[in-house]
């Protein structure tokens, strides 16, 4: 079946639309690239380093010492600040209770 004049016009317009869309994408990409260079300069961006856990502890200890000095309190060093320890029996009790909670939850979910 031969194409009618209207069908050929429509197909030509669709081709032109896709060509223009491609061209607009290229222009947008160029504008984005030039805009970023204009706004931020051509210098490369530098990533900030991460601080280790020990480094954060030293910073926190120094800040605590500064606040203690301001408030007139005794400065406590980080080496004397020990975490609490839990007995083996207490850990076993907590683990048993938690296992029971999960078992109950799974049973409710299954039912």
């Amino acid at each position: 079946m031969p194409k009618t004049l209207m069908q050929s016009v429509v197909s030509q317009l669709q081709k032109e639309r896709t060509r223009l869309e491609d061209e607009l994408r290229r222009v947008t990409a160029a504008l984005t690239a030039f805009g970023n260079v204009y706004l931020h300069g051509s210098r490369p961006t530098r990533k900030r380093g991460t601080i280790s856990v020990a480094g954060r502890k030293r910073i926190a200890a120094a800040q605590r010492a500064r606040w203690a000095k301001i408030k007139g309190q005794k400065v406590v060093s980080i080496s004397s600040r020990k975490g609490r320890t839990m007995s083996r029996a207490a850990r076993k009790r907590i683990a048993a209770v938690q296992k029971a909670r999960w078992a109950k939850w799974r049973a409710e979910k299954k039912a």
Side-chain angles (χ1 to χ4, degrees), residues 3-111:
K3 285 187 174 181
T4 63
L5 179 63
M6 192 60 86
Q7 287 174 333
S8 65
V9 169
V10 169
S11 68
Q12 286 294 325
L13 287 173
Q14 286 175 341
K15 285 180 186 176
E16 183 66 16
R17 183 182 69 189
T18 57
R19 188 191 66 77
L20 286 173
E21 285 173 350
D22 290 340
E23 189 68 27
L24 281 174
R25 271 193 222 103
R26 286 191 209 106
V27 169
T28 303
L31 279 174
T32 302
F34 286 129
N36 285 338
V37 169
Y38 177 74
L39 291 176
H40 305 296
S42 60
R43 59 181 161 73
T45 58
R46 188 177 80 106
K47 291 185 178 180
R48 291 181 173 250
T50 56
I51 299 176
S52 67
V53 174
R56 284 197 303 270
K57 282 186 180 181
R58 283 193 305 271
I59 291 170
Q63 185 62 41
R64 278 194 300 274
R66 284 191 289 273
W67 275 109
K69 186 177 177 184
I70 290 170
K71 293 178 181 179
Q73 297 172 348
K74 182 182 171 194
V75 177
V76 180
S77 69
I78 59 169
S79 61
S80 66
R81 292 174 55 105
K82 304 259 180 181
R84 294 182 186 165
T85 56
M86 198 181 301
S87 69
R88 183 176 282 179
R91 282 197 304 263
K92 281 187 177 183
R93 279 197 308 269
I94 290 172
V97 170
Q98 190 62 30
K99 283 180 184 178
R101 279 192 198 116
W102 277 109
K104 181 182 173 187
W105 181 81
R106 285 189 192 100
E108 287 176 358
K109 188 177 177 186
K110 200 173 193 182

